[in-house]
Amino acid sequence: MNQRDEQEFAEYFAAKRDSVRRTAYMLCGDWHRADDLAQTAFVALHRRWKKIRERAATDAYLRKTLVRAAIDESRRPWRREWQTEELPEPPQDGFDLGEQVVTREDLLTALREVPPKQRAVLVLRFFEGLDVGAAAKALGCSEGNVKSQTARGLTNLRQVMEKEEVARDGRE
């Protein structure tokens, strides 16, 4: 790439780095993996930077690359985690940092248990704020597929959160 292209990419990277990293975190639930996913997406974008004619499509390309990398990564057998019933530290009595932190952590934990494609749709639709058409374009699928994956993902998310709530109420 020439100097101008490198400068344009550096400016784009600086502007988008944090939001891409947050989206990656919502997809995988781990900051270290989110950094890896964001890096994978930006490296792929850097390779194709000269070939991108319409800069307005850059965000969509980056988002699509990020989602595909997250789905591919989740399929790797060494990435599978095992959930345990008991936490390493016993829960503390009294009020902790607040219900908002618990609620956010519960949501992120439940989101990790939703299948990868459904998780990707939920993150794109509800955390990235994309409409059905934009999510379909980012994922490379039909709008109907996005709608059905959204419905299934929300159903699975509700079931996981209800299960966690029942387990938490039983421990209290």
Side-chain angles (χ1 to χ4, degrees):
M1 281 197 311
N2 63 33
Q3 183 76 19
R4 193 181 110 249
D5 287 338
E6 285 290 344
Q7 182 63 32
E8 283 180 5
F9 180 81
E11 290 170 2
Y12 181 82
F13 174 77
K16 297 294 182 175
R17 172 184 52 214
D18 292 335
S19 66
V20 169
R21 186 172 178 252
R22 283 190 300 270
T23 301
Y25 177 75
M26 296 303 296
L27 289 168
C28 70
D30 179 87
W31 283 111
H32 297 291
R33 285 181 57 206
D35 288 336
D36 292 344
L37 291 172
Q39 179 179 355
T40 300
F42 277 115
V43 167
L45 177 63
H46 186 267
R47 271 190 253 124
R48 304 221 5 116
W49 189 256
K50 283 177 60 175
K51 297 177 184 176
I52 296 175
R53 292 186 186 127
E54 190 176 330
R55 293 293 184 216
T58 306
D59 289 347
Y61 177 80
L62 185 62
R63 190 178 301 113
K64 188 174 193 175
T65 304
L66 181 67
V67 169
R68 286 183 174 173
I71 291 171
D72 288 347
E73 187 73 13
S74 70
R75 292 178 179 156
R76 296 193 175 141
W78 60 84
R79 289 291 191 187
R80 294 187 185 122
E81 298 177 8
W82 296 94
Q83 301 291 327
T84 62
E85 289 294 321
E86 303 222 6
L87 297 174
E89 300 92 26
Q92 298 175 0
D93 292 335
F95 189 70
D96 218 330
L97 291 176
E99 285 298 315
Q100 289 181 343
V101 174
V102 172
T103 303
R104 183 184 56 184
E105 283 300 314
D106 288 345
L107 176 63
L108 293 175
T109 300
L111 197 57
R112 283 185 221 119
E113 293 192 32
V114 174
K117 286 186 181 181
Q118 293 173 9
R119 182 181 329 133
V121 169
L122 294 177
V123 168
L124 291 176
R125 293 282 323 280
F126 300 109
F127 294 100
E128 284 287 308
L130 298 181
D131 62 8
V132 173
K137 189 173 181 181
L139 294 170
C141 64
S142 69
E143 290 185 14
N145 191 332
V146 170
K147 290 176 186 178
S148 65
Q149 291 293 327
T150 301
R152 290 182 189 127
L154 287 172
T155 299
N156 285 337
L157 188 62
R158 282 187 196 104
Q159 289 173 348
V160 170
M161 291 193 72
E162 287 172 3
K163 184 174 60 174
E164 288 177 5
E165 186 176 334
V166 168
R168 187 175 54 247
D169 289 344
R171 282 186 250 147
E172 292 178 3

